[in-house]
């Protein structure tokens, strides 16, 4: 992708797409090989994948292949897996996803059906209270005129308000599935159930059995039930929605691989709900996890211990602790110049990135000058060369493709963006009249995870690891870990300090100044 | 040399007698003063007590009568010819030093090194 093209537009496009497809295939292989190093428990049959070559070497290989004139014949290059087969790991991963999703749905639907049944029961109870006497012993009832009708209206409207409130508060698609029960919601449902059951008991014993003739009393009883239901709804709002709004705790979430940290202010929540909030914010705050950036420190760590070998001269005694201590002491003592290497390497990298960035910015600015939005009147004049945004993007893309690819390769982001996505983004920017700088914004800085397509997230399945029960509330000093496959988020809870605010009144007339002289006189 | 208002000021002083030099039509002493009760004491580099509003010697010209008499930079002038200089304005101090009918000024000056020496000798 880093060579000049002399082909026509379409063949260029297909060549590029094949290159990028293979490229993404390679990156998937790399991801697979790397994820094998991480602690996944599934055993997998290793199909011989290409060795994880350094990124630059890999791509020059690719470049040479595309440069070949017979690229049509030689595109069936040797890769570990062909483009259409799935390796063992993929199969395991797919089945795992499937059974997880099936399990989730069952649990989710169970909760929903229980809640729906309860809600229906609660809603129909007052109506049943009103209708049953009329149906069962209409003749014995005292006639009840305007008072009853007034009460009927109030029952109707209160039921309507209750219905709207419940729809607003509870009829929302669940945004997550939690490991344990949501305690407060379960308690509220139990409360409502007990409440309605007690009302039914009273009704059944005192009214149905004795066939009370005072219909107004019965209607008032139904009204009191609806009032109490409204109050329970109010309680639900306060417990479920309002209580956690006031921030009490500050949570620090640190990503274990690169130390990126963010703080979130939360109120009184259970650990699992707090974890949910943090995960929702993870996708928008943390930059996307980039495993390519972690290899440098790993290789340094390997080099630290690489030069030392421990020989056991005292016989086959298992002196593991002594060995490791000896190694640490020796490593500390020897003259390590890796800090020097790190310093120069980083300075070099900075310079290279800046140079590539400058070239990229210039290339993009130049490319954007070739495109001009056509006005309405002009559209009728020259219908020949009119292009829609997608074609315009494809037209100017080749001039900046090389600079962009080089920049992405230097900052190790090239696996996050496919050529398709770049062209789509370019068309999007052209449509919305964005400047070159706005187009580049998503490539110059690694953005939050949501910005990328789902395959690049590396963060789809989360496990909550905590020493306290996950339904217990947040406490100062609590630590829990949200583990994903490639990395984990370590969350520490700290209490927001009690703020003592005092006031001081300053009289506006008290702002007075004097001149301070420091003169020196010679005598 | 911190002064508590209402208490008498005690200090170890050195007597310095300066004979004024006629320079043109002026009688000069050959040093510069700073300080005074109308000045900012916080700018005084010669004292640790930054509320001291006394008159300090800020410069001594080379070879002038003050240097000859033994005046040093950083000296605090306590008396001039019997007149007190610890609670005067800058201008009053200037006037007391530059009286045209006086040829000689007798100063009582104090400095930190004097205080230190006395204190050390008292300790021993």
């Amino acid at each position: 992708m880093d060579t000049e093209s002399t082909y026509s537009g379409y063949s260029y496009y297909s060549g590029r797409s094949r290159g990028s497809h293979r490229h993404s295939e390679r990156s998937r292989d790399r991801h697979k090989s790397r994820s094998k190093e991480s602690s996944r428990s599934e055993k997998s049959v290793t199909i011989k994948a290409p060795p994880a070559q350094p990124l630059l070497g890999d791509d020059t290989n690719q470049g040479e292949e595309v440069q070949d004139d017979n690229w049509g014949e030689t595109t069936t290059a040797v890769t570990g897996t062909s483009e259409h087969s799935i390796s063992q790991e993929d199969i395991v991963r797919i089945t795992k996803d499937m059974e997880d999703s099936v399990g989730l749905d069952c649990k989710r639907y169970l909760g929903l059906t229980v809640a729906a049944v309860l809600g229906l029961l609660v809603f129909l109870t007052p109506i049943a209270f009103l209708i049953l006497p009329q149906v069962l012993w209409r003749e014995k009832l005292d006639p009840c005129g305007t008072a009853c009708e007034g009460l009927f209206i109030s029952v109707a409207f209160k039921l309507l308000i209750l219905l709207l409130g419940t729809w607003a508060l509870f009829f929302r698609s669940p945004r997550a599935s939690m490991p344990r029960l949501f305690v407060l919601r379960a308690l509220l449902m139990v409360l409502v159930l007990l409440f309605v059951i007690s009302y039914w008991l009273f009704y059944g014993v005192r009214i149905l059995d004795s066939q009370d003739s005072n219909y107004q009393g019965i209607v008032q009883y139904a009204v009191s039930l609806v009032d109490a239901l409204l109050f329970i709804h109010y309680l639900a709002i306060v417990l479920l929605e309002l209580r956690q709004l006031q921030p009490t705790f500050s949570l620090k979430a640190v990503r274990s691989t690169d130390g990126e940290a963010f703080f979130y202010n939360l109120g009184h929540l259970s650990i699992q709900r707090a974890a949910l909030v943090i995960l929702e914010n993870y996708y928008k705050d943390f930059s996307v996890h980039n495993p390519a950036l972690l290899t440098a420190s790993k290789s340094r760590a390997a080099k630290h211990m690489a030069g030392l070998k421990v020989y056991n001269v005292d016989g086959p005694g298992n002196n593991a602790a002594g060995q490791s201590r000896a190694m640490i002491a020796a490593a500390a003592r020897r003259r390590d110049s890796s800090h020097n290497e790190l310093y120069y390497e980083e300075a070099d990298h900075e310079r290279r990135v800046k140079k590539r960035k400058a070239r990229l910015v210039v290339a993009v600015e130049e490319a954007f000058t070739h495109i001009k939005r056509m006005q309405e009147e002009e559209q009728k004049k020259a219908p020949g060369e009119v292009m829609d945004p997608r074609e315009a993007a494809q037209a100017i893309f080749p001039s900046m493709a090389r600079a962009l690819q080089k920049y992405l390769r230097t900052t190790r982001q090239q696996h996050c963006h496919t050529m398709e996505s770049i062209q789509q983004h370019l068309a999007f920017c052209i449509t919305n009249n964005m400047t070159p700088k706005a187009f580049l914004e998503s490539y110059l800085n690694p953005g939050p995870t949501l910005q990328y397509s789902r395959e690049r997230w590396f963060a789809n399945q989360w496990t909550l690891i905590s020493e306290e029960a996950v339904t217990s509330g947040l406490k100062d000093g609590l630590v829990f870990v949200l583990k994903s496959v490639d990395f984990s988020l370590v969350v520490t809870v700290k209490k927001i300090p009690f703020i003592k605010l005092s006031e001081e009144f300053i009289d506006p007339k008290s702002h007075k100044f004097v001149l301070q002289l420091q003169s020196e006189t010679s005598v | 040399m911190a002064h508590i208002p209402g208490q008498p000021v005690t200090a170890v002083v050195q007597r310095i007698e300066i004979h004024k030099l006629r320079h043109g039509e002026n009688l000069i002493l050959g040093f510069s003063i700073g300080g005074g009760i109308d000045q900012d004491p916080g700018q005084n580099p010669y004292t640790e007590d930054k509320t001291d509003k006394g008159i300090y010697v800020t410069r001594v010209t080379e070879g002038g009568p003050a240097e000859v008499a033994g005046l040093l930079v950083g000296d605090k002038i306590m008396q001039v010819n019997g007149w007190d200089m610890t609670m005067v304005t800058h201008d009053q101090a200037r006037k007391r030093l530059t009286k045209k009918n006086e040829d000689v000024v007798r100063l009582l000056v104090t400095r930190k090194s004097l205080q230190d020496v006395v204190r050390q000798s008292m300790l021993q």
Side-chain angles (χ1 to χ4, degrees):
Chain A
M1 215 167 159
D2 56 345
T3 56
E4 300 294 339
S5 162
T6 53
Y7 309 121
S8 71
Y10 277 113
S11 68
Y12 185 98
Y13 179 78
S14 61
R16 288 284 178 274
S17 76
R18 196 116 24 143
S20 74
H21 204 234
R22 207 174 334 120
H23 187 60
S24 66
E25 173 68 20
R26 286 262 172 99
S27 68
R28 222 189 316 140
D29 287 344
R30 234 174 281 128
H31 168 58
K32 272 188 282 202
S33 57
R34 198 157 289 126
S35 61
K36 275 196 288 246
E37 292 161 15
S38 68
S39 58
R40 281 188 92 159
S41 50
E42 299 102 10
K43 293 280 175 223
S44 57
V45 173
T46 40
I47 302 165
K48 189 166 182 312
Q53 297 165 0
L55 295 164
L56 277 164
D58 197 12
D59 290 325
T60 53
N61 235 352
Q62 217 180 342
E64 280 156 20
E65 281 169 32
V66 178
Q67 215 172 16
D68 190 358
D69 268 337
N70 312 337
W71 60 269
E73 276 80 37
T74 57
T75 43
T76 54
V78 174
T79 55
T81 56
S82 83
E83 295 176 0
H84 297 293
S85 73
I86 311 175
S87 76
Q88 180 80 357
E89 280 197 17
D90 276 337
I91 292 174
V92 174
R93 203 187 310 155
I94 288 173
T95 51
K96 199 158 176 249
D97 285 344
M98 265 180 10
E99 69 193 16
D100 278 341
S101 60
V102 163
L104 269 160
D105 283 350
C106 274
K107 255 202 300 191
R108 213 188 284 172
Y109 284 149
L110 183 68
L112 272 180
T113 45
V114 164
V117 162
L118 187 65
L120 208 58
L121 174 72
V122 161
F123 189 71
L124 292 177
T125 302
I127 302 177
F129 283 5
L130 292 176
I131 291 181
L132 277 175
Q134 294 276 358
V135 163
L136 288 179
W137 63 90
R138 181 184 271 269
E139 317 77 38
K140 282 200 276 176
L141 283 176
D142 293 338
C144 147
T146 39
C148 272
E149 281 157 17
L151 289 172
F152 284 156
I153 292 180
S154 86
V155 163
F157 274 107
K158 281 181 186 159
L159 275 179
L160 178 68
I161 289 174
L162 190 65
L163 188 67
L164 284 176
T166 315
W167 168 80
L169 190 60
F170 296 117
F171 287 18
R172 286 182 289 193
S173 50
R175 52 202 232 248
S177 76
M178 313 248 250
R180 301 252 177 216
L181 199 59
F182 185 176
V183 172
L184 281 176
R185 204 185 289 166
L187 281 178
L188 274 171
M189 291 211 289
V190 166
L191 175 70
V192 166
L193 192 65
L194 284 176
F195 180 72
V196 167
I197 285 176
S198 65
Y199 259 73
W200 268 110
L201 268 175
F202 183 85
Y203 187 78
V205 168
R206 293 304 213 86
I207 298 180
L208 279 181
D209 276 356
S210 61
Q211 303 220 331
D212 194 8
S213 58
N214 180 9
Y215 193 52
Q216 187 167 353
I218 295 174
V219 177
Q220 275 177 339
Y221 183 68
V223 172
S224 80
L225 170 66
V226 181
D227 285 342
L229 283 176
L230 279 173
F231 285 132
I232 291 187
H233 187 256
Y234 156 76
L235 185 70
I237 294 180
V238 164
L239 279 183
L240 296 180
E241 304 283 319
L242 289 185
R243 187 165 167 260
Q244 75 257 26
L245 287 182
Q246 186 181 32
T248 331
F249 296 102
S250 191
L251 274 73
K252 176 175 183 185
V254 184
R255 185 157 58 185
S256 65
T257 47
D258 57 1
E260 202 168 332
F262 280 91
F263 279 87
Y264 300 106
N265 276 11
L266 296 177
H268 286 283
L269 285 174
S270 62
I271 294 183
Q272 59 182 4
R273 284 171 83 195
L276 186 63
V277 172
I278 288 188
L279 284 180
E280 282 171 358
N281 281 318
Y282 167 82
Y283 287 106
K284 86 158 164 62
D285 280 332
F286 282 78
S287 64
V288 68
H289 176 248
N290 198 347
L293 293 173
L294 307 169
T295 51
S297 54
K298 278 195 203 151
S299 63
R300 270 205 302 280
K303 268 196 278 179
H304 282 312
M305 291 302 200
L308 295 173
K309 282 207 175 82
V310 178
Y311 293 101
N312 205 346
V313 291
D314 295 329
N318 190 12
N319 194 4
Q323 269 185 13
S324 48
R325 228 177 285 139
M327 274 190 83
I328 294 171
R333 241 179 271 130
R334 76 168 177 180
R335 286 178 56 129
D336 199 357
S337 66
S338 59
H339 57 271
N340 233 357
E341 283 173 32
L342 174 63
Y343 171 69
Y344 284 114
E345 193 183 302
E346 282 199 348
D348 222 17
H349 182 72
E350 281 279 326
R351 233 180 340 113
R352 235 181 306 142
V353 166
K354 283 204 181 122
K355 226 195 307 176
R356 293 263 166 104
K357 178 177 167 184
R359 286 207 196 127
L360 172 64
V361 169
V362 161
V364 171
E365 279 176 2
E366 210 208 304
F368 266 67
T369 56
H370 297 315
I371 289 282
K372 195 174 85 87
R373 180 174 275 268
M374 235 172 54
Q375 307 303 322
E376 283 294 327
E377 322 79 57
E378 296 173 11
Q379 261 178 23
K380 298 168 201 136
K381 275 192 259 169
E385 5 159 291
V386 169
M387 297 185 281
D388 67 354
R390 183 160 173 77
E391 290 162 6
Q394 280 175 11
I396 61 171
F397 180 67
S399 56
M400 67 167 90
R402 179 181 180 172
L404 185 58
Q405 177 69 355
K406 281 200 156 156
Y407 180 80
L408 288 180
R409 211 183 300 152
T410 317
T411 53
R412 308 224 182 102
Q413 282 177 294
Q414 74 271 24
H415 60 87
C416 301
H417 304 278
T418 60
M419 197 186 67
E420 196 50 51
S421 74
I422 300 176
Q423 280 188 347
Q424 256 175 11
H425 188 238
L426 186 55
F428 171 74
C429 292
I430 291 176
T431 321
N432 292 304
N433 294 324
M434 294 200 192
T435 59
K437 194 165 171 187
F439 164 70
L440 282 175
E441 162 272 331
S442 67
Y443 302 110
L444 291 180
N445 310 313
T449 318
L450 270 182
Q451 200 175 305
Y452 300 91
S453 63
R454 234 189 146 106
E455 310 90 59
R456 320 267 174 221
W457 278 2
F458 293 109
N460 291 314
Q461 189 80 348
W462 296 94
T463 319
L464 176 55
I465 301 177
S466 139
E467 292 162 11
E468 304 257 340
V470 295
T471 47
S472 63
L474 289 177
K475 274 191 286 284
D476 189 25
L478 201 62
V479 174
F480 59 92
V481 176
L482 286 161
K483 196 162 111 73
S484 170
V485 175
D486 296 311
F487 59 92
S488 52
L489 287 175
V490 182
V491 182
T492 327
V493 180
K494 284 201 172 50
K495 202 168 155 60
I496 293 179
F498 179 74
I499 297 174
K500 278 208 180 96
L501 203 56
S502 57
E503 71 156 306
E504 189 184 326
F505 173 69
I506 295 189
D507 187 5
K509 288 201 270 270
S510 71
H511 298 295
K512 300 247 182 270
F513 296 91
V514 288
L515 213 50
Q516 287 281 28
L517 306 163
Q518 308 93 30
S519 42
E520 192 189 352
T521 329
S522 53
V523 292
Chain B
M1 291 192 261
H3 174 234
I4 305 167
Q7 302 295 319
V9 177
T10 45
V12 180
V13 293
Q14 181 180 346
R15 246 177 258 238
I16 292 186
E17 199 170 294
I18 308 181
H19 297 266
K20 293 192 191 177
L21 184 66
R22 188 158 285 279
H23 191 253
E25 58 174 51
N26 298 328
L27 283 168
I28 61 166
L29 287 160
F31 64 97
S32 303
I33 54 163
I37 52 179
D38 55 340
Q39 306 282 313
D40 176 21
Q43 311 261 343
N44 192 343
Y46 304 114
T47 173
E48 296 134 8
D49 177 19
K50 295 296 178 190
T51 60
D52 189 358
K53 296 190 175 183
I55 306 288
Y56 281 79
V57 175
T58 54
R59 250 182 332 117
V60 175
T61 55
E62 295 244 334
E67 193 185 8
V68 166
L71 193 66
L72 299 176
V73 171
D75 288 354
K76 176 175 174 183
I77 302 177
M78 309 295 280
Q79 268 188 19
V80 172
N81 285 344
W83 293 100
D84 170 59
M85 296 292 252
T86 56
M87 280 286 148
V88 289
T89 65
H90 190 87
D91 210 38
Q92 280 170 344
R94 182 189 57 82
K95 282 197 195 129
R96 298 251 175 78
L97 283 165
T98 53
K99 285 209 167 1
K100 291 224 167 31
N101 49 2
E102 289 173 358
D103 273 347
V104 171
V105 287
R106 294 185 179 84
L107 312 176
L108 288 180
V109 303
T110 181
R111 55 180 84 96
K112 194 165 174 302
S113 55
L114 281 177
Q115 310 278 52
D116 289 344
V117 161
V118 170
R119 205 181 312 130
Q120 268 183 349
S121 61
M122 285 202 319
L123 284 172
Q124 281 165 2

